[in-house]
Amino acid sequence: MNFCSQCGQPVSLLVPEGDHLPRHVCTACGTVHYQNPKIVAGCVPEHEGRILLCRRAIEPRRGYWTIPAGFMENGETTQDAARRESIEEALADVEIGSLLAVVHVLHADQVHVMFRARLPKPEFGAGAESLEVMLYDEDSIPWRDIAFRSVEFALRRYLEDRRAGREQHHFTAIDLRPRSAG
Ligand SMILES: [Zn+2]
């Protein structure tokens, strides 16, 4: 960030009084511009045992497979967001189920919240952000071409729980930040 979104003047990176981290602070109006993690909501839709996956039409990871997921909008719940993303990316109207995984993606400043979901009818297609959308048997999931670690985590936990006949929720953190010298 270089300029204040309130008044257009330059911002400085400094630790405000009483704070403990550097923030972008406006040199003119004094506004402190906090930057916090964004929430991505998604789901693992299942139809008669098969899993719905989307092949990404956009960067990052264009051409790789993912589950329907995307940034939350203001005014919606995580479940609303997961259902909306399924409609947008896979033209699939899913029923959102139990919480599956919370993945802290530290290098991207994101929190991914994944749910189980049911696709009642095998009706789906490629939305604007997808090249193609398919239902996969567990044995044919393209593990080498999964777009993101958080998605692989969610899929693997989903399948493990399904085999065990349980619905647990899982937490993990992924940190691909470069390590500082020393
Ligand atoms: Zn300002």
Side-chain angles (χ1 to χ4, degrees):
M1 179 179 294
N2 296 311
F3 297 99
C4 177
S5 55
Q6 294 293 315
C7 74
Q9 293 301 303
V11 295
S12 302
L13 197 59
L14 53 88
V15 181
E17 200 179 323
D19 205 340
H20 62 288
L21 287 174
R23 313 286 182 187
H24 294 283
V25 180
C26 179
T27 53
C29 75
T31 300
V32 182
H33 298 274
Y34 295 96
Q35 293 183 319
N36 303 98
K38 288 186 159 58
I39 296 176
V40 169
C43 64
V44 178
E46 179 181 320
H47 176 77
E48 294 182 354
R50 291 189 293 165
I51 308 296
L52 189 79
L53 296 180
C54 312
R55 200 152 75 86
R56 291 173 62 81
I58 54 171
E59 297 293 349
R61 305 293 278 165
R62 187 179 194 277
Y64 288 81
W65 292 89
T66 187
I67 57 176
F71 290 109
M72 280 183 79
E73 301 289 358
N74 294 338
E76 64 183 3
T77 66
T78 47
Q79 293 97 321
D80 291 339
R83 178 164 179 261
R84 176 180 52 73
E85 291 290 342
S86 294
I87 292 169
E88 289 177 3
E89 296 179 1
L91 312 181
D93 194 1
V94 302
E95 296 167 0
I96 300 296
S98 58
L99 177 64
L100 169 63
V102 175
V103 183
H104 302 92
V105 187
L106 294 167
H107 53 278
D109 300 321
Q110 295 172 1
V111 181
H112 295 191
V113 180
M114 314 294 209
F115 295 91
R116 295 175 182 83
R118 197 173 79 87
L119 179 64
K121 286 176 270 182
E123 295 171 359
F124 55 87
E129 295 179 3
S130 303
L131 295 170
E132 58 180 320
V133 175
M134 279 180 56
L135 285 171
Y136 278 101
D137 288 318
E138 179 170 352
D139 295 339
S140 57
I141 289 176
W143 292 110
R144 295 171 61 89
D145 293 322
I146 297 296
F148 304 108
R149 292 184 190 210
S150 65
V151 171
E152 177 173 352
F153 179 82
L155 284 170
R156 290 201 185 277
R157 299 296 86 73
Y158 182 92
L159 295 168
E160 285 169 11
D161 282 359
R162 190 173 73 172
R163 263 179 250 126
R166 66 189 180 210
E167 293 193 7
Q168 296 183 333
H169 49 255
H170 306 270
F171 293 87
T172 194
I174 300 170
D175 189 353
L176 301 181
R177 289 175 294 189
R179 290 177 185 275
S180 55

